[in-house]
């Protein structure tokens, strides 16, 4: 537990430095549970990090986004299991006094939809790339409720959650979600934090396709104020550019 707390402190320090570098205010931080923290980005957006046990990868900081509007909440990515997801959902409904109604996973890995079965038992509707649905069915995992191809705008009251599939990257099915009213881009695991020196888990990656995928994201969202990666500190558009640079170096090093 002490190790997890030290990791969380280090993560949040980097988070604060990243925002300072962009002349952004330091936002309120809320402890939800040991190894789980929420940071208020605006009156309608909360970033969370949950330090979860990812098996052979050990304890990993997993990021997600909470959006609240008109008494309803959308969650982008769950913690890695039902127990951790239940803790987060309890905080959402008690701390924000709003009902979690909508869930959108970034891709099929456990650090995105590990708590889906719990949310489904609670009546939360889930929306996912059709490729994600096909993969979860193939791998006998909990299956999201509604699928889309290319793009889908999910409404949370009058707030638009713009889901877009730009192509393969960290996984063949990874998407991004753009919230235009907040100028927040949830990039998930296809986007790397600025301190990252490698591309992470490539076991299900579409490495050759990834550069063109990230280029599409860079060009499509020039107004992104906050960019959230799947793991590590959030920042701005520099995360997209840093990811692109690492992909270029990776491709040059390949035979």
């Amino acid at each position: 537990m002490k190790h997890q707390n030290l990791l969380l402190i280090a993560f949040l320090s980097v988070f604060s430095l990243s925002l300072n570098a962009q002349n952004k205010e330091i936002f309120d931080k809320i402890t939800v549970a040991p190894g789980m923290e929420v940071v208020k980005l605006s009156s309608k957006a909360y970033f969370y990090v949950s330090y979860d046990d990812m098996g052979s990868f050990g304890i990993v900081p997993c990021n997600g986004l909470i959006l609240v509007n008109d008494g309803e909440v959308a969650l982008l990515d769950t913690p890695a299991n039902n127990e951790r997801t239940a803790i987060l959902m309890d905080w959402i409904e008690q701390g924000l006094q709003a009902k979690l109604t909508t869930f959108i996973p970034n891709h099929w890995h456990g650090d995105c939809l590990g708590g889906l079965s719990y949310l489904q038992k609670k009546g939360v509707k889930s929306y996912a790339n059709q490729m994600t649905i096909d993969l979860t069915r193939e791998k006998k995992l909990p299956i999201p409720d509604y699928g889309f191809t290319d793009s889908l705008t999910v409404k949370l009251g009058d707030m638009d959650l713009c889901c877009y599939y730009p192509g393969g990257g960290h996984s063949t099915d990874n998407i991004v979600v753009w919230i235009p009213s907040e100028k927040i881009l949830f990039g998930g695991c296809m986007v790397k934090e600025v301190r990252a020196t490698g591309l992470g888990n490539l076991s299900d990656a579409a490495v050759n396709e990834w550069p063109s995928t990230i280029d599409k994201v860079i060009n499509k969202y020039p107004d992104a104020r906050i960019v959230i990666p799947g793991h590590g500190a959030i920042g701005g558009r520099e995360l997209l550019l840093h990811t692109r640079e690492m992909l270029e170096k990776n491709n040059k090093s390949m035979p």
Side-chain angles (χ1 to χ4, degrees):
M1 187 63 66
K2 182 178 179 181
H3 178 61
Q4 288 186 25
N5 289 338
L6 289 173
L7 284 172
L8 185 56
I9 291 168
F11 169 82
L12 291 168
S13 297
V14 173
F15 164 79
S16 299
L17 288 172
S18 177
L19 290 181
N20 274 336
Q22 302 171 66
N23 296 316
K24 290 184 173 69
E25 62 181 307
I26 300 300
F27 299 100
D28 295 334
K29 295 185 285 289
I30 304 159
T31 299
V32 175
M36 187 183 295
E37 191 121 356
V38 170
V39 177
K40 184 176 181 179
L41 302 178
S42 73
S43 62
K44 295 186 175 183
Y46 296 77
F47 160 75
Y48 84 82
V49 56
S50 180
Y51 278 81
D52 295 337
D53 187 350
M54 297 301 296
S56 62
F57 295 99
I59 302 298
V60 177
C62 302
N63 298 341
L65 183 63
I66 301 162
L67 299 161
V68 56
N69 192 40
D70 294 338
E72 295 187 33
V73 172
L75 177 64
L76 309 189
D77 285 2
T78 69
N81 57 53
N82 287 329
E83 292 74 21
R84 300 283 283 173
T85 300
I87 292 170
L88 183 62
M89 185 173 179
D90 285 346
W91 178 84
I92 288 171
E93 300 201 333
Q94 294 176 25
L96 298 180
Q97 292 295 296
K99 182 174 178 58
L100 179 55
T101 61
T102 304
F103 169 60
I104 304 171
N106 180 266
H107 59 284
W108 70 271
H109 288 167
D111 54 353
C112 299
L113 49 66
L116 175 58
S117 62
Y118 177 81
L119 296 184
Q120 289 177 323
K121 289 177 183 177
K122 294 294 183 178
V124 179
K125 294 180 180 178
S126 51
Y127 303 83
N129 185 353
Q130 185 60 45
M131 295 174 68
T132 302
I133 289 177
D134 294 342
L135 283 163
T136 55
R137 182 176 289 113
E138 173 190 327
K139 296 175 184 299
K140 301 186 181 338
L141 297 170
I143 301 170
D145 301 316
Y146 305 103
F148 69 90
T149 56
D150 185 50
S151 62
L152 173 71
T153 297
V154 178
K155 301 290 289 189
L156 188 70
D158 61 357
M159 179 187 284
D160 289 340
L161 283 60
C162 303
C163 308
Y164 172 56
Y165 173 60
H170 167 76
S171 64
T172 56
D173 62 318
N174 50 204
I175 65 170
V176 297
V177 181
W178 168 240
I179 302 91
S181 63
E182 307 299 307
K183 297 192 182 304
I184 294 175
L185 178 67
F186 187 77
C189 296
M190 78 164 72
V191 178
K192 301 301 173 184
E193 67 165 327
V194 291
R195 293 194 312 165
T197 57
L199 296 173
N201 175 21
L202 299 179
S203 59
D204 300 302
V207 178
N208 292 332
E209 192 176 347
W210 200 339
S212 63
T213 295
I214 203 73
D215 282 343
K216 290 177 187 176
V217 175
I218 290 170
N219 294 329
K220 192 173 180 68
Y221 305 107
D223 298 329
R225 179 177 66 93
I226 295 176
V227 177
I228 301 178
H231 307 279
I234 74 174
R237 278 174 55 81
E238 72 276 3
L239 273 67
L240 302 174
L241 300 175
H242 176 61
T243 302
R244 185 65 176 87
E245 182 181 355
M246 285 198 298
L247 288 165
E248 287 180 357
K249 290 180 180 177
N250 179 78
N251 288 354
K252 286 179 181 177
S253 67
M254 293 176 66

